[in-house]
Amino acid sequence: MSGRWLTALRMLLRYGLPLAGIVVVGRAIVLSIGGEISKAQFALGVLLMVAGFSARLVPKARRPRATAERRAAARRPT
């Protein structure tokens, strides 16, 4: 898999889902002030915020092998 694609997916999961959860919970709070309390909206918002932890399940992008070989060569004593 491409490193950029994985990085974009991790950022979307890490920041996008919790941000959407905050928006949903905020909307539920505003609606509840008017007397219309929707437990489902609160639950969905909390679920989206917790889903932000799923970013840890996406593997980190691998570095190119040539870079790893250069680092190993730099560490060897001459």
Side-chain angles (χ1 to χ4, degrees):
M1 292 186 178
S2 173
R4 290 183 184 180
W5 187 81
L6 285 174
T7 302
L9 180 62
R10 283 178 62 93
M11 293 297 114
L12 175 70
L13 291 174
R14 188 168 187 171
Y15 299 110
L17 290 177
L19 183 62
I22 291 170
V23 169
V24 170
V25 167
R27 184 175 188 278
I29 290 171
V30 169
L31 290 176
S32 70
I33 292 172
E36 186 179 324
I37 297 174
S38 175
K39 292 180 183 177
Q41 279 189 341
F42 282 109
L44 176 63
V46 171
L47 183 68
L48 286 171
M49 286 187 256
V50 171
F53 290 106
S54 65
R56 296 179 185 259
L57 300 175
V58 178
K60 290 186 179 181
R62 291 186 177 182
R63 296 178 186 224
R65 187 172 192 132
T67 304
E69 290 173 357
R70 278 188 255 141
R71 283 190 183 160
R75 289 184 191 155
R76 288 186 208 132
T78 55

